[in-house]
Structures are given as C-alpha cells and as structure tokens.
Amino acid sequence: MTTVKNIYDYINSIAPFETQEEWDNSGHLIGDFRKEVKKCVMALDATKEVCLFAKDVGADMLLTHHPIIFGGIESVKSDSAVYILANAGVAGVSAHTNYDMAQGGINDSLAEILELKNIRNVEGSFITAGELDCEMSIDDFAEYVADKLDCKGIRFTKTDKLIKTVAVGGGACEEETPVAMANADCFLTGDMKYHKMLDAAEKGFAVISAGHYETENAAFLMLKDKLESIFTDVEFIIAPYENPISTVE
C-alpha cells in the first residue's frame, strides 16, 4: 500500500524539501499524510480547474510544482482550490524550488528536452548548463526552442555570436543572468523583464524568455515516469491542463 507520506518521502529523497527557498511553501500542504494513494493527479499548477478534475476522477492526491498555498490565506471559500481539495479528501503535495535545483529536477529535465549534451549543474545557483550538438545563430536557436517547448510567444535578444553552450533556468530565474553569462553563450529562462533583457542585449549576451509555463510544465511532468517505476500500485494521471495565458502568433 502506498501512502501520501511514501510519495512525499521519495520526492524528499531526490529533492529535499529543506533545500527550498525561504519564501517558498513546498511540501505536504493539504490532507492526511497516512492516506492510501491509488490515484494521483499531476499538474504544474493547483488551479480550481485542476482541483475539480482531481475530485471528479476520484484522486487521493494532487502533486503539483507550484504550491497550492502560497503566502497567507485570509479565508477558504467554497469555490477556492484549497477548499475543493480539502472537502474532497484529496491530499495536496507540492515540489517547487527544491525540485527546480535538484539533480534530475526541472532544470535538468529542461536541458534534456532541449537535447543538450554534457549537462552540469552550476554550483550555487538554479542553473543547469549544457552544449548543443552544433553551433547555432540566435535566430535558429530561438526557433529550435520554440519548437521543442511549443512556445507561442518567445522573446530573445539579438547577437551576432553563435550559440554553443546554453544555461537553462525554468520559470522566473532572471536573477541568475550574471551566473549564466559566466557559464554559457545563451541563457534560456521563462520570465525575464524588459530591462533585464535590455541590459543583456547591451552586453552582447543572448537571452531567451520562453514563458513560465513552457519552461516548466513538460519538465515537471517528466517526474511521472520516475514515480510510476517505483509506486506500481498507483495510477498517476496528468491533469488536462493547458497554459491559461494566451498569445497571438
């Protein structure tokens, strides 16, 4: 019999919850640690849509990347995601920044999706770096990224330099830009503000802002294969949840 705690303990073994950032709220957030898990829904975000799906399919647990409880909660109304899960008896566990930086976590998985070689974690940062099979122009590499991550609205800085080494940081990692500049020809992240991109452009450094969802969703859901190989008595179900942010092509 697999319990919520069993799955939590496995995640803790590969991405210790104690390594999460101080502002984060990863871990077991809702429900009974001892609850048996026969169905576990997985999603990037614990939206109301996802929580209702977990309830409707009779899930025992919801595992997400972004915490369902982030910051103080002043009330729990009947139409809130927290209420939906708790009222349905669905346990909630989230693995956020601890899984971002873990070996085999979000950034390593993102590098794998991009088929980077000689992958390495850059010490003291969230960054994973690797190499392309061959050098690319920034235009070609941006197209490559858009295809691999199914990006609809990708932004990047122009440079004449060819791209060979790439640093990746899924989600919001713009603060890691100086580290990326010291370790790669290009930095790929999810969210980067205009002025940060402008600063990089003026230094002649290539950065790509490919979208928070796009740089994390598929990378997080790669955890499903690992979980299925260990907890063979649990059905892991990916919630039919798409990027809620629309773009014009």
Side-chain angles (χ1 to χ4, degrees), residues 1-68:
M1 181 182 80
T2 296
T3 65
V4 173
K5 188 176 187 303
N6 293 147
I7 296 175
Y8 172 95
D9 286 344
Y10 169 71
I11 295 172
N12 192 50
S13 72
I14 62 171
F17 287 101
E18 65 181 15
T19 64
Q20 67 182 285
E21 295 291 281
E22 290 183 3
W23 47 264
D24 196 8
N25 193 37
S26 293
H28 172 227
L29 305 179
I30 295 176
D32 187 351
F33 232 12
R34 301 163 297 178
K35 182 181 179 68
E36 181 179 3
V37 180
K38 294 182 179 178
K39 282 186 180 181
C40 177
V41 170
M42 297 180 64
L44 183 70
D45 301 297
T47 62
K48 286 196 292 184
E49 174 190 356
V50 167
C51 292
L52 285 170
F53 174 79
K55 174 185 175 181
D56 290 344
V57 299
D60 305 294
M61 176 177 168
L62 173 63
L63 175 61
T64 64
H65 182 49
H66 297 134
I68 186 172

Short mmCIF file of all heavy atoms in Angstrom, two decimals, residues 1-68:
data_model
loop_
_atom_site.label_atom_id
_atom_site.label_comp_id
_atom_site.label_asym_id
_atom_site.label_seq_id
_atom_site.Cartn_x
_atom_site.Cartn_y
_atom_site.Cartn_z
N MET A 1 0.84 -1.20 0.00
CA MET A 1 0.00 0.00 0.00
C MET A 1 0.88 1.25 0.00
O MET A 1 1.81 1.37 0.79
CB MET A 1 -0.90 0.01 1.24
CG MET A 1 -1.82 1.22 1.31
SD MET A 1 -2.85 1.28 2.80
CE MET A 1 -1.67 1.93 3.98
N THR A 2 0.60 2.17 -0.91
CA THR A 2 1.33 3.43 -0.99
C THR A 2 0.53 4.53 -0.31
O THR A 2 -0.68 4.66 -0.53
CB THR A 2 1.57 3.82 -2.46
OG1 THR A 2 2.41 2.84 -3.08
CG2 THR A 2 2.25 5.18 -2.56
N THR A 3 1.18 5.32 0.51
CA THR A 3 0.53 6.44 1.19
C THR A 3 1.08 7.77 0.67
O THR A 3 2.09 7.81 -0.04
CB THR A 3 0.77 6.37 2.71
OG1 THR A 3 2.18 6.54 2.96
CG2 THR A 3 0.29 5.04 3.28
N VAL A 4 0.41 8.85 1.06
CA VAL A 4 0.88 10.18 0.73
C VAL A 4 2.30 10.37 1.23
O VAL A 4 3.17 10.91 0.53
CB VAL A 4 -0.04 11.26 1.34
CG1 VAL A 4 0.54 12.66 1.14
CG2 VAL A 4 -1.45 11.17 0.76
N LYS A 5 2.56 9.89 2.43
CA LYS A 5 3.90 10.03 3.01
C LYS A 5 4.96 9.28 2.21
O LYS A 5 6.09 9.74 2.08
CB LYS A 5 3.92 9.57 4.46
CG LYS A 5 5.24 9.87 5.17
CD LYS A 5 5.20 9.48 6.63
CE LYS A 5 6.48 9.95 7.35
NZ LYS A 5 7.71 9.42 6.74
N ASN A 6 4.60 8.11 1.67
CA ASN A 6 5.56 7.36 0.85
C ASN A 6 6.01 8.18 -0.36
O ASN A 6 7.20 8.23 -0.68
CB ASN A 6 4.94 6.04 0.37
CG ASN A 6 4.67 5.05 1.48
OD1 ASN A 6 3.71 4.28 1.41
ND2 ASN A 6 5.51 5.04 2.51
N ILE A 7 5.05 8.80 -1.04
CA ILE A 7 5.38 9.60 -2.21
C ILE A 7 6.15 10.85 -1.79
O ILE A 7 7.14 11.24 -2.44
CB ILE A 7 4.10 9.97 -2.99
CG1 ILE A 7 3.45 8.69 -3.54
CG2 ILE A 7 4.41 10.94 -4.14
CD1 ILE A 7 2.12 8.90 -4.22
N TYR A 8 5.72 11.47 -0.70
CA TYR A 8 6.43 12.64 -0.16
C TYR A 8 7.88 12.27 0.16
O TYR A 8 8.81 13.00 -0.18
CB TYR A 8 5.72 13.13 1.10
CG TYR A 8 6.46 14.21 1.85
CD1 TYR A 8 6.19 15.55 1.65
CD2 TYR A 8 7.44 13.88 2.79
CE1 TYR A 8 6.88 16.54 2.34
CE2 TYR A 8 8.13 14.85 3.49
CZ TYR A 8 7.85 16.18 3.26
OH TYR A 8 8.54 17.15 3.95
N ASP A 9 8.07 11.13 0.82
CA ASP A 9 9.41 10.71 1.22
C ASP A 9 10.30 10.46 0.01
O ASP A 9 11.51 10.76 0.03
CB ASP A 9 9.36 9.45 2.09
CG ASP A 9 8.87 9.72 3.49
OD1 ASP A 9 8.86 10.89 3.91
OD2 ASP A 9 8.48 8.75 4.19
N TYR A 10 9.72 9.90 -1.07
CA TYR A 10 10.52 9.68 -2.27
C TYR A 10 10.97 11.01 -2.87
O TYR A 10 12.15 11.18 -3.23
CB TYR A 10 9.74 8.88 -3.32
CG TYR A 10 10.44 8.87 -4.65
CD1 TYR A 10 11.62 8.14 -4.83
CD2 TYR A 10 9.98 9.65 -5.71
CE1 TYR A 10 12.30 8.17 -6.04
CE2 TYR A 10 10.65 9.68 -6.92
CZ TYR A 10 11.82 8.94 -7.07
OH TYR A 10 12.49 8.99 -8.27
N ILE A 11 10.03 11.95 -3.00
CA ILE A 11 10.39 13.25 -3.54
C ILE A 11 11.45 13.91 -2.65
O ILE A 11 12.41 14.51 -3.14
CB ILE A 11 9.15 14.16 -3.66
CG1 ILE A 11 8.19 13.56 -4.70
CG2 ILE A 11 9.55 15.58 -4.07
CD1 ILE A 11 6.86 14.26 -4.77
N ASN A 12 11.28 13.76 -1.35
CA ASN A 12 12.26 14.33 -0.41
C ASN A 12 13.64 13.71 -0.59
O ASN A 12 14.66 14.37 -0.36
CB ASN A 12 11.78 14.13 1.03
CG ASN A 12 12.57 14.93 2.03
OD1 ASN A 12 12.77 16.12 1.88
ND2 ASN A 12 13.03 14.25 3.08
N SER A 13 13.69 12.46 -1.03
CA SER A 13 14.97 11.77 -1.21
C SER A 13 15.72 12.26 -2.44
O SER A 13 16.95 12.21 -2.49
CB SER A 13 14.76 10.26 -1.31
OG SER A 13 14.16 9.88 -2.54
N ILE A 14 14.98 12.74 -3.46
CA ILE A 14 15.63 13.22 -4.68
C ILE A 14 15.70 14.74 -4.75
O ILE A 14 16.51 15.29 -5.50
CB ILE A 14 14.93 12.67 -5.95
CG1 ILE A 14 13.48 13.14 -6.03
CG2 ILE A 14 15.00 11.14 -5.98
CD1 ILE A 14 12.80 12.82 -7.35
N ALA A 15 14.83 15.40 -3.98
CA ALA A 15 14.78 16.87 -3.97
C ALA A 15 14.39 17.30 -2.56
O ALA A 15 13.22 17.64 -2.32
CB ALA A 15 13.77 17.39 -4.99
N PRO A 16 15.32 17.27 -1.62
CA PRO A 16 15.00 17.53 -0.21
C PRO A 16 14.21 18.83 -0.02
O PRO A 16 14.60 19.89 -0.51
CB PRO A 16 16.37 17.61 0.46
CG PRO A 16 17.26 16.78 -0.41
CD PRO A 16 16.76 17.00 -1.81
N PHE A 17 13.10 18.72 0.68
CA PHE A 17 12.25 19.89 0.90
C PHE A 17 12.97 20.96 1.71
O PHE A 17 12.66 22.15 1.59
CB PHE A 17 10.95 19.48 1.59
CG PHE A 17 10.00 18.76 0.67
CD1 PHE A 17 9.88 17.38 0.72
CD2 PHE A 17 9.26 19.46 -0.26
CE1 PHE A 17 9.02 16.71 -0.13
CE2 PHE A 17 8.39 18.80 -1.12
CZ PHE A 17 8.27 17.42 -1.06
N GLU A 18 13.97 20.58 2.49
CA GLU A 18 14.71 21.56 3.28
C GLU A 18 15.57 22.47 2.41
O GLU A 18 16.05 23.51 2.88
CB GLU A 18 15.60 20.86 4.31
CG GLU A 18 16.70 20.01 3.70
CD GLU A 18 17.56 19.31 4.74
OE1 GLU A 18 17.14 19.25 5.91
OE2 GLU A 18 18.65 18.83 4.37
N THR A 19 15.75 22.12 1.14
CA THR A 19 16.56 22.96 0.25
C THR A 19 15.74 24.04 -0.45
O THR A 19 16.29 24.85 -1.19
CB THR A 19 17.25 22.10 -0.84
OG1 THR A 19 16.25 21.50 -1.68
CG2 THR A 19 18.11 21.01 -0.21
N GLN A 20 14.43 24.06 -0.23
CA GLN A 20 13.60 25.07 -0.88
C GLN A 20 13.97 26.47 -0.39
O GLN A 20 14.50 26.65 0.71
CB GLN A 20 12.12 24.80 -0.61
CG GLN A 20 11.68 24.98 0.82
CD GLN A 20 10.22 24.67 1.03
OE1 GLN A 20 9.34 25.44 0.66
NE2 GLN A 20 9.94 23.49 1.62
N GLU A 21 13.68 27.47 -1.20
CA GLU A 21 13.94 28.85 -0.83
C GLU A 21 13.09 29.27 0.37
O GLU A 21 12.01 28.71 0.60
CB GLU A 21 13.65 29.77 -2.01
CG GLU A 21 14.57 29.57 -3.20
CD GLU A 21 15.99 30.02 -2.91
OE1 GLU A 21 16.25 31.22 -2.96
OE2 GLU A 21 16.85 29.14 -2.64
N GLU A 22 13.58 30.26 1.12
CA GLU A 22 12.88 30.69 2.33
C GLU A 22 11.46 31.17 2.05
O GLU A 22 10.56 30.99 2.87
CB GLU A 22 13.66 31.81 3.02
CG GLU A 22 14.98 31.34 3.66
CD GLU A 22 15.68 32.46 4.39
OE1 GLU A 22 15.11 33.58 4.45
OE2 GLU A 22 16.78 32.23 4.90
N TRP A 23 11.24 31.76 0.89
CA TRP A 23 9.93 32.31 0.56
C TRP A 23 8.97 31.27 -0.02
O TRP A 23 7.78 31.54 -0.23
CB TRP A 23 10.07 33.45 -0.46
CG TRP A 23 10.96 33.11 -1.63
CD1 TRP A 23 12.28 33.41 -1.76
CD2 TRP A 23 10.59 32.38 -2.81
NE1 TRP A 23 12.76 32.93 -2.95
CE2 TRP A 23 11.75 32.30 -3.61
CE3 TRP A 23 9.41 31.81 -3.27
CZ2 TRP A 23 11.75 31.65 -4.85
CZ3 TRP A 23 9.41 31.16 -4.50
CH2 TRP A 23 10.57 31.08 -5.28
N ASP A 24 9.48 30.07 -0.25
CA ASP A 24 8.69 29.01 -0.88
C ASP A 24 7.79 28.31 0.15
O ASP A 24 7.95 28.49 1.36
CB ASP A 24 9.64 28.00 -1.54
CG ASP A 24 8.95 27.09 -2.53
OD1 ASP A 24 7.76 27.33 -2.84
OD2 ASP A 24 9.59 26.14 -3.00
N ASN A 25 6.85 27.50 -0.34
CA ASN A 25 5.97 26.75 0.55
C ASN A 25 5.75 25.34 0.01
O ASN A 25 4.62 24.86 -0.08
CB ASN A 25 4.63 27.48 0.72
CG ASN A 25 3.81 26.90 1.86
OD1 ASN A 25 4.36 26.51 2.89
ND2 ASN A 25 2.50 26.83 1.70
N SER A 26 6.84 24.69 -0.38
CA SER A 26 6.75 23.33 -0.88
C SER A 26 6.51 22.36 0.27
O SER A 26 6.83 22.63 1.42
CB SER A 26 8.05 22.94 -1.59
OG SER A 26 8.22 23.68 -2.77
N GLY A 27 5.97 21.19 -0.07
CA GLY A 27 5.78 20.14 0.93
C GLY A 27 4.37 19.60 0.95
O GLY A 27 3.60 19.75 0.00
N HIS A 28 4.01 18.94 2.05
CA HIS A 28 2.67 18.39 2.25
C HIS A 28 1.79 19.51 2.80
O HIS A 28 1.98 19.97 3.92
CB HIS A 28 2.75 17.22 3.24
CG HIS A 28 1.41 16.71 3.66
ND1 HIS A 28 1.10 16.46 4.97
CD2 HIS A 28 0.29 16.42 2.94
CE1 HIS A 28 -0.14 16.02 5.06
NE2 HIS A 28 -0.65 15.99 3.83
N LEU A 29 0.83 19.96 2.03
CA LEU A 29 0.06 21.16 2.36
C LEU A 29 -1.39 20.89 2.74
O LEU A 29 -1.99 21.66 3.48
CB LEU A 29 0.10 22.14 1.18
CG LEU A 29 1.49 22.54 0.68
CD1 LEU A 29 1.38 23.50 -0.50
CD2 LEU A 29 2.31 23.16 1.80
N ILE A 30 -1.97 19.82 2.23
CA ILE A 30 -3.38 19.54 2.49
C ILE A 30 -3.57 18.04 2.70
O ILE A 30 -2.97 17.23 2.00
CB ILE A 30 -4.26 20.01 1.31
CG1 ILE A 30 -4.21 21.53 1.15
CG2 ILE A 30 -5.71 19.56 1.49
CD1 ILE A 30 -4.97 22.04 -0.04
N GLY A 31 -4.43 17.69 3.66
CA GLY A 31 -4.86 16.31 3.80
C GLY A 31 -4.05 15.45 4.75
O GLY A 31 -3.18 15.93 5.48
N ASP A 32 -4.33 14.17 4.72
CA ASP A 32 -3.79 13.18 5.66
C ASP A 32 -2.53 12.54 5.09
O ASP A 32 -2.55 11.95 4.01
CB ASP A 32 -4.86 12.11 5.93
CG ASP A 32 -4.47 11.13 7.02
OD1 ASP A 32 -3.31 11.16 7.47
OD2 ASP A 32 -5.34 10.33 7.42
N PHE A 33 -1.42 12.64 5.83
CA PHE A 33 -0.16 12.02 5.45
C PHE A 33 -0.30 10.50 5.29
O PHE A 33 0.39 9.87 4.51
CB PHE A 33 0.88 12.32 6.52
CG PHE A 33 2.16 12.91 5.99
CD1 PHE A 33 2.29 13.36 4.70
CD2 PHE A 33 3.27 13.00 6.82
CE1 PHE A 33 3.48 13.91 4.22
CE2 PHE A 33 4.47 13.54 6.37
CZ PHE A 33 4.55 13.99 5.07
N ARG A 34 -1.19 9.91 6.09
CA ARG A 34 -1.32 8.44 6.14
C ARG A 34 -2.30 7.90 5.10
O ARG A 34 -2.48 6.69 5.00
CB ARG A 34 -1.78 8.01 7.53
CG ARG A 34 -0.83 8.43 8.65
CD ARG A 34 -1.52 8.36 9.99
NE ARG A 34 -2.65 9.29 10.05
CZ ARG A 34 -3.46 9.41 11.09
NH1 ARG A 34 -3.29 8.64 12.15
NH2 ARG A 34 -4.46 10.29 11.07
N LYS A 35 -2.92 8.78 4.33
CA LYS A 35 -3.94 8.36 3.36
C LYS A 35 -3.36 7.45 2.29
O LYS A 35 -2.29 7.71 1.74
CB LYS A 35 -4.55 9.60 2.70
CG LYS A 35 -5.67 9.30 1.69
CD LYS A 35 -6.18 10.59 1.09
CE LYS A 35 -7.27 10.32 0.06
NZ LYS A 35 -8.50 9.79 0.68
N GLU A 36 -4.06 6.37 1.99
CA GLU A 36 -3.64 5.49 0.90
C GLU A 36 -3.86 6.19 -0.43
O GLU A 36 -4.86 6.87 -0.64
CB GLU A 36 -4.43 4.19 0.92
CG GLU A 36 -4.03 3.21 -0.17
CD GLU A 36 -4.79 1.90 -0.14
OE1 GLU A 36 -5.70 1.77 0.71
OE2 GLU A 36 -4.48 1.02 -0.97
N VAL A 37 -2.91 6.02 -1.34
CA VAL A 37 -2.99 6.65 -2.65
C VAL A 37 -3.11 5.57 -3.73
O VAL A 37 -2.21 4.76 -3.92
CB VAL A 37 -1.76 7.53 -2.93
CG1 VAL A 37 -1.87 8.17 -4.32
CG2 VAL A 37 -1.60 8.60 -1.86
N LYS A 38 -4.25 5.58 -4.41
CA LYS A 38 -4.44 4.71 -5.56
C LYS A 38 -4.43 5.51 -6.86
O LYS A 38 -4.06 4.99 -7.91
CB LYS A 38 -5.76 3.95 -5.42
CG LYS A 38 -5.78 2.95 -4.26
CD LYS A 38 -7.10 2.20 -4.21
CE LYS A 38 -7.09 1.19 -3.08
NZ LYS A 38 -8.39 0.46 -2.97
N LYS A 39 -4.84 6.79 -6.76
CA LYS A 39 -4.81 7.69 -7.91
C LYS A 39 -4.15 8.99 -7.49
O LYS A 39 -4.52 9.57 -6.47
CB LYS A 39 -6.23 7.99 -8.42
CG LYS A 39 -6.87 6.91 -9.24
CD LYS A 39 -8.19 7.42 -9.81
CE LYS A 39 -8.88 6.34 -10.65
NZ LYS A 39 -10.16 6.84 -11.21
N CYS A 40 -3.20 9.43 -8.29
CA CYS A 40 -2.51 10.70 -8.03
C CYS A 40 -2.53 11.53 -9.30
O CYS A 40 -2.01 11.11 -10.34
CB CYS A 40 -1.07 10.46 -7.57
SG CYS A 40 -0.13 11.98 -7.30
N VAL A 41 -3.13 12.71 -9.23
CA VAL A 41 -3.16 13.63 -10.36
C VAL A 41 -1.93 14.53 -10.28
O VAL A 41 -1.53 14.96 -9.20
CB VAL A 41 -4.45 14.48 -10.35
CG1 VAL A 41 -4.38 15.61 -11.36
CG2 VAL A 41 -5.66 13.59 -10.65
N MET A 42 -1.33 14.82 -11.43
CA MET A 42 -0.16 15.68 -11.50
C MET A 42 -0.44 16.87 -12.41
O MET A 42 -1.09 16.74 -13.45
CB MET A 42 1.05 14.90 -12.03
CG MET A 42 1.49 13.75 -11.15
SD MET A 42 2.94 12.88 -11.84
CE MET A 42 4.18 14.18 -11.79
N ALA A 43 0.06 18.05 -12.00
CA ALA A 43 -0.10 19.26 -12.81
C ALA A 43 0.93 20.28 -12.37
O ALA A 43 1.46 20.21 -11.26
CB ALA A 43 -1.51 19.83 -12.66
N LEU A 44 1.20 21.25 -13.24
CA LEU A 44 2.12 22.32 -12.88
C LEU A 44 1.52 23.20 -11.79
O LEU A 44 2.19 23.57 -10.83
CB LEU A 44 2.44 23.17 -14.11
CG LEU A 44 3.46 24.29 -13.90
CD1 LEU A 44 4.86 23.72 -13.68
CD2 LEU A 44 3.47 25.25 -15.09
N ASP A 45 0.23 23.52 -11.94
CA ASP A 45 -0.45 24.45 -11.02
C ASP A 45 -1.68 23.80 -10.41
O ASP A 45 -2.40 23.05 -11.08
CB ASP A 45 -0.90 25.71 -11.77
CG ASP A 45 0.26 26.45 -12.39
OD1 ASP A 45 1.13 26.91 -11.64
OD2 ASP A 45 0.30 26.56 -13.64
N ALA A 46 -1.95 24.15 -9.16
CA ALA A 46 -3.15 23.66 -8.47
C ALA A 46 -4.28 24.67 -8.64
O ALA A 46 -4.75 25.28 -7.68
CB ALA A 46 -2.85 23.42 -6.99
N THR A 47 -4.72 24.86 -9.87
CA THR A 47 -5.83 25.77 -10.15
C THR A 47 -7.14 25.11 -9.73
O THR A 47 -7.20 23.90 -9.47
CB THR A 47 -5.89 26.10 -11.64
OG1 THR A 47 -6.14 24.87 -12.37
CG2 THR A 47 -4.59 26.71 -12.13
N LYS A 48 -8.21 25.89 -9.71
CA LYS A 48 -9.53 25.32 -9.40
C LYS A 48 -9.90 24.25 -10.43
O LYS A 48 -10.46 23.21 -10.08
CB LYS A 48 -10.59 26.41 -9.37
CG LYS A 48 -10.53 27.30 -8.15
CD LYS A 48 -11.80 28.11 -7.95
CE LYS A 48 -11.97 29.14 -9.02
NZ LYS A 48 -13.18 30.00 -8.76
N GLU A 49 -9.55 24.52 -11.68
CA GLU A 49 -9.83 23.56 -12.75
C GLU A 49 -9.15 22.22 -12.48
O GLU A 49 -9.76 21.15 -12.61
CB GLU A 49 -9.35 24.14 -14.08
CG GLU A 49 -9.44 23.20 -15.27
CD GLU A 49 -8.73 23.74 -16.50
OE1 GLU A 49 -8.23 24.88 -16.46
OE2 GLU A 49 -8.67 23.00 -17.50
N VAL A 50 -7.89 22.28 -12.08
CA VAL A 50 -7.13 21.06 -11.79
C VAL A 50 -7.68 20.36 -10.55
O VAL A 50 -7.82 19.13 -10.52
CB VAL A 50 -5.63 21.39 -11.61
CG1 VAL A 50 -4.88 20.21 -11.00
CG2 VAL A 50 -5.01 21.78 -12.94
N CYS A 51 -8.01 21.13 -9.53
CA CYS A 51 -8.54 20.54 -8.29
C CYS A 51 -9.89 19.88 -8.52
O CYS A 51 -10.18 18.80 -7.97
CB CYS A 51 -8.64 21.59 -7.20
SG CYS A 51 -7.03 22.19 -6.62
N LEU A 52 -10.73 20.50 -9.34
CA LEU A 52 -12.02 19.89 -9.67
C LEU A 52 -11.83 18.61 -10.47
O LEU A 52 -12.55 17.63 -10.29
CB LEU A 52 -12.88 20.88 -10.47
CG LEU A 52 -13.51 22.01 -9.66
CD1 LEU A 52 -14.12 23.06 -10.59
CD2 LEU A 52 -14.57 21.46 -8.71
N PHE A 53 -10.83 18.60 -11.35
CA PHE A 53 -10.52 17.39 -12.12
C PHE A 53 -10.10 16.28 -11.16
O PHE A 53 -10.56 15.13 -11.28
CB PHE A 53 -9.42 17.66 -13.13
CG PHE A 53 -8.94 16.44 -13.85
CD1 PHE A 53 -9.67 15.90 -14.90
CD2 PHE A 53 -7.76 15.80 -13.47
CE1 PHE A 53 -9.24 14.76 -15.57
CE2 PHE A 53 -7.32 14.66 -14.12
CZ PHE A 53 -8.07 14.14 -15.18
N ALA A 54 -9.20 16.60 -10.21
CA ALA A 54 -8.75 15.61 -9.23
C ALA A 54 -9.93 15.05 -8.44
O ALA A 54 -10.02 13.83 -8.19
CB ALA A 54 -7.72 16.23 -8.30
N LYS A 55 -10.83 15.91 -8.06
CA LYS A 55 -12.02 15.48 -7.34
C LYS A 55 -12.88 14.57 -8.21
O LYS A 55 -13.34 13.50 -7.76
CB LYS A 55 -12.82 16.70 -6.89
CG LYS A 55 -14.17 16.39 -6.26
CD LYS A 55 -14.94 17.68 -5.98
CE LYS A 55 -16.34 17.37 -5.47
NZ LYS A 55 -17.12 18.61 -5.22
N ASP A 56 -13.12 14.97 -9.45
CA ASP A 56 -14.02 14.24 -10.34
C ASP A 56 -13.51 12.85 -10.70
O ASP A 56 -14.32 11.93 -10.90
CB ASP A 56 -14.27 15.04 -11.62
CG ASP A 56 -15.10 16.29 -11.38
OD1 ASP A 56 -15.73 16.39 -10.31
OD2 ASP A 56 -15.12 17.18 -12.26
N VAL A 57 -12.19 12.69 -10.79
CA VAL A 57 -11.65 11.37 -11.15
C VAL A 57 -11.41 10.50 -9.91
O VAL A 57 -10.92 9.38 -10.02
CB VAL A 57 -10.34 11.48 -11.96
CG1 VAL A 57 -10.58 12.23 -13.26
CG2 VAL A 57 -9.22 12.13 -11.16
N GLY A 58 -11.76 11.03 -8.74
CA GLY A 58 -11.60 10.25 -7.51
C GLY A 58 -10.16 10.11 -7.07
O GLY A 58 -9.78 9.07 -6.51
N ALA A 59 -9.35 11.14 -7.30
CA ALA A 59 -7.94 11.08 -6.91
C ALA A 59 -7.81 11.13 -5.39
O ALA A 59 -8.63 11.71 -4.68
CB ALA A 59 -7.17 12.23 -7.53
N ASP A 60 -6.76 10.51 -4.90
CA ASP A 60 -6.44 10.55 -3.48
C ASP A 60 -5.41 11.63 -3.18
O ASP A 60 -5.27 12.05 -2.03
CB ASP A 60 -5.88 9.19 -3.04
CG ASP A 60 -6.82 8.05 -3.37
OD1 ASP A 60 -7.91 8.00 -2.79
OD2 ASP A 60 -6.48 7.23 -4.25
N MET A 61 -4.72 12.08 -4.23
CA MET A 61 -3.62 13.02 -4.03
C MET A 61 -3.45 13.87 -5.28
O MET A 61 -3.67 13.41 -6.40
CB MET A 61 -2.33 12.25 -3.73
CG MET A 61 -1.08 13.10 -3.59
SD MET A 61 0.35 12.07 -3.15
CE MET A 61 1.68 13.24 -3.43
N LEU A 62 -3.06 15.13 -5.06
CA LEU A 62 -2.68 16.02 -6.15
C LEU A 62 -1.23 16.45 -5.93
O LEU A 62 -0.89 16.97 -4.87
CB LEU A 62 -3.58 17.26 -6.18
CG LEU A 62 -3.18 18.37 -7.17
CD1 LEU A 62 -3.25 17.86 -8.61
CD2 LEU A 62 -4.06 19.61 -7.00
N LEU A 63 -0.40 16.21 -6.92
CA LEU A 63 1.02 16.59 -6.86
C LEU A 63 1.27 17.68 -7.89
O LEU A 63 1.07 17.47 -9.09
CB LEU A 63 1.90 15.37 -7.15
CG LEU A 63 3.40 15.62 -7.25
CD1 LEU A 63 3.96 16.18 -5.93
CD2 LEU A 63 4.14 14.33 -7.62
N THR A 64 1.70 18.84 -7.41
CA THR A 64 1.97 19.96 -8.31
C THR A 64 3.36 20.52 -8.09
O THR A 64 4.00 20.27 -7.07
CB THR A 64 0.95 21.10 -8.10
OG1 THR A 64 1.09 21.63 -6.78
CG2 THR A 64 -0.47 20.62 -8.33
N HIS A 65 3.80 21.31 -9.07
CA HIS A 65 5.07 22.02 -8.93
C HIS A 65 4.87 23.28 -8.09
O HIS A 65 5.53 23.48 -7.08
CB HIS A 65 5.63 22.37 -10.30
CG HIS A 65 6.95 23.06 -10.27
ND1 HIS A 65 8.03 22.60 -9.54
CD2 HIS A 65 7.39 24.20 -10.88
CE1 HIS A 65 9.06 23.41 -9.69
NE2 HIS A 65 8.69 24.40 -10.50
N HIS A 66 3.94 24.11 -8.48
CA HIS A 66 3.67 25.35 -7.75
C HIS A 66 2.74 25.07 -6.57
O HIS A 66 1.72 24.41 -6.73
CB HIS A 66 3.05 26.40 -8.67
CG HIS A 66 3.96 26.82 -9.78
ND1 HIS A 66 3.56 26.94 -11.09
CD2 HIS A 66 5.28 27.14 -9.77
CE1 HIS A 66 4.56 27.33 -11.83
NE2 HIS A 66 5.63 27.45 -11.06
N PRO A 67 3.09 25.56 -5.39
CA PRO A 67 2.29 25.28 -4.19
C PRO A 67 0.86 25.82 -4.28
O PRO A 67 0.64 26.94 -4.76
CB PRO A 67 3.06 25.99 -3.07
CG PRO A 67 4.46 26.10 -3.59
CD PRO A 67 4.31 26.31 -5.07
N ILE A 68 -0.09 25.04 -3.80
CA ILE A 68 -1.47 25.47 -3.78
C ILE A 68 -1.69 26.56 -2.74
O ILE A 68 -2.57 27.40 -2.88
CB ILE A 68 -2.42 24.27 -3.52
CG1 ILE A 68 -3.88 24.71 -3.66
CG2 ILE A 68 -2.17 23.64 -2.16
CD1 ILE A 68 -4.87 23.56 -3.62
#
